């Protein structure tokens, strides 16, 4: 019952009219979820939480997903669809779980963690990847898809390996780069008080804040993610190293035209991927992009 699990509970209660029962190994967290209205009722163990359910969402850290999903499948009924919300999909797909399991991953998140930050609109307009396999029961898939639509998200089917390669590039690599950038900047920034009136963040402009928003994300979650998707992530890191080497050569050559072409290509690629948002040097408060959570879509 963290941010994602709690938000699923709120969204299903408020938007789908569902009755939601939940379990968490931390009894205090479970009690807090009930107090906040995330759940209709709690269960002291996982089996009790899934008993009689039509759908189960396993919202556990990536490292605990396999065991938690097996336990949910073992305890749930023959017509119950079981899904997860993990940001890597290949490992679960390779377990060849039974036809009731359909892997899932909502592209939603926030800088905050914990059930106290759960909100029912977290998934509004967010892509929610699903990884059905050959033999997946169509009626279970449609039930799961309908619940996701009711939560305001946009379900989209994807191959597990393709999903993990995509996430390595658009989610996991940005977290790695954000950590690298803050470490590099921390060593380059002047010491506190070195400049008159300069605080420790005086050297950090809006571009730096935007690029490093996800730095230092929850290590209990992200250590598992890096390791679970390490093959695809290592490929992405190697590709980034090659691209940095190439732009280093452009800058070292001192020729403006090739460098300008490289910048223009990047602008065109970004517009193709996320759409036009106007001039990139516009003035706006540091932190989140816009007000609709655009910057958090690919965090999880």
């Amino acid at each position: 019952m963290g941010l994602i699990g709690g938000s699923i509970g709120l969204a299903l209660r408020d938007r789908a009219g569902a009755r939601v029962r939940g379990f968490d190994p931390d009894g205090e967290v479970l009690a807090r979820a009930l107090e906040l209205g995330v759940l209709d009722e709690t269960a002291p163990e996982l089996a009790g939480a899934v008993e009689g359910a039509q759908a189960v969402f396993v919202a556990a850290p990536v490292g605990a997903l396999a065991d938690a999903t097996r336990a949910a499948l073992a305890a749930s009924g023959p017509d119950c669809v079981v899904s997860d919300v993990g940001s890597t999909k290949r490992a679960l797909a390779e377990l060849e779980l039974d036809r009731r399991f359909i892997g899932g991953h909502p592209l939603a998140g926030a800088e905050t963690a914990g059930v106290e930050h759960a909100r029912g609109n977290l998934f509004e307009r967010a892509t929610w990847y699903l990884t059905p396999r050959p033999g997946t029961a169509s009626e279970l898939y449609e039930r799961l898809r309908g619940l996701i639509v009711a939560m305001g998200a946009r379900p989209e089917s994807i191959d597990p390996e393709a999903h993990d390669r995509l996430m390595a590039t658009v989610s996991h690599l940005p977290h790695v780069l954000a950590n690298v950038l803050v470490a590099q900047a921390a060593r380059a920034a002047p010491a506190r008080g070195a400049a008159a009136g300069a605080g420790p963040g005086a050297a950090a402009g809006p571009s730096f804040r935007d690029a490093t928003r996800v730095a230092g994300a929850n290590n209990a979650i992200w250590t598992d993610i890096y390791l679970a998707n390490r093959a695809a992530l290592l490929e992405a890191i190697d590709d980034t190293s090659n691209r940095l080497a190439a732009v280093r050569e452009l800058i070292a050559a001192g020729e403006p035209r090739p460098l300008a072409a490289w910048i223009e290509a990047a602008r065109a690629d970004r517009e193709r991927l996320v759409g036009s948002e106007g001039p990139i040097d516009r003035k706006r408060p540091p932190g989140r992009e816009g007000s609709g959570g655009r910057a958090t879509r690919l965090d999880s």
Side-chain angles (χ1 to χ4, degrees):
M1 296 312 305
L3 171 70
I4 300 298
S7 296
I8 288 174
L10 284 173
L12 288 175
R13 291 190 71 202
D14 296 345
R15 294 169 174 243
R19 183 166 182 81
V20 181
R21 187 188 304 128
F23 165 75
D24 192 284
D26 187 326
E28 292 184 4
V29 170
L30 196 59
R32 181 65 173 151
L34 187 64
E35 177 186 344
L36 292 170
V38 169
L39 303 171
D40 292 294
E41 57 183 298
T42 65
E45 72 286 320
L46 188 148
V50 306
E51 182 180 1
Q54 292 183 317
V56 172
F57 292 89
V58 183
V62 168
L65 275 177
D67 289 343
T69 301
R70 284 195 187 100
L73 285 164
S76 57
D79 296 321
C80 175
V81 61
V82 176
S83 189
D84 75 306
V85 295
S87 66
T88 63
K89 300 268 66 82
R90 187 176 65 178
L92 279 179
E94 290 175 347
L95 293 178
E96 296 185 356
L97 301 169
D98 74 40
R99 71 180 186 92
R100 294 173 296 152
F101 176 73
I102 301 170
H105 177 208
L107 302 190
E111 294 89 342
T112 52
V115 70
E116 61 271 16
H117 298 291
R119 61 181 193 267
N121 66 348
L122 183 67
F123 311 109
E124 188 68 36
R125 296 186 299 277
T127 297
W128 193 309
Y129 283 124
L130 294 175
T131 57
R133 296 168 298 157
T136 294
S138 60
E139 66 273 17
L140 297 184
Y141 178 79
E142 290 304 321
R143 183 189 305 163
L144 178 61
R145 188 179 183 282
L147 290 172
I148 290 169
V149 169
M151 286 189 276
R154 298 167 176 169
E156 183 175 328
S157 295
I158 190 172
D159 174 78
E161 289 197 14
H163 170 277
D164 286 5
R165 288 194 302 271
L166 176 63
M167 289 301 104
T169 300
V170 302
S171 177
H172 308 162
L173 178 64
H175 277 75
V176 170
L177 294 178
N179 290 345
V180 170
L181 284 172
V182 294
Q184 184 176 9
R187 285 156 182 77
R192 180 192 293 265
S207 295
F208 180 80
R209 293 189 183 98
D210 287 351
T212 60
R213 184 183 56 81
V214 296
N218 189 323
N219 67 78
I221 293 174
W222 279 93
T223 298
D224 282 349
I225 291 173
Y226 291 151
L227 295 179
N229 202 26
R230 60 185 176 274
L233 182 55
L234 289 173
E235 289 183 6
I237 290 172
D238 289 343
D239 184 48
T240 300
S241 297
N242 293 335
R243 291 175 183 273
L244 284 172
V247 73
R248 184 190 185 283
E249 291 182 3
L250 286 179
I251 295 171
E255 295 293 334
R257 286 188 178 180
L259 194 57
W262 175 76
I263 294 170
E264 178 60 22
R267 184 206 61 76
D269 284 343
R270 187 180 190 278
E271 184 170 325
R272 178 175 57 84
L273 290 168
V274 300
S276 176
E277 296 178 342
I280 62 173
D281 60 346
R282 67 197 184 283
K283 300 296 184 183
R284 57 182 172 83
R288 292 179 187 267
E289 294 186 27
S291 59
R294 180 191 297 265
T296 67
R297 288 287 173 81
L298 298 174
D299 285 359
S300 297

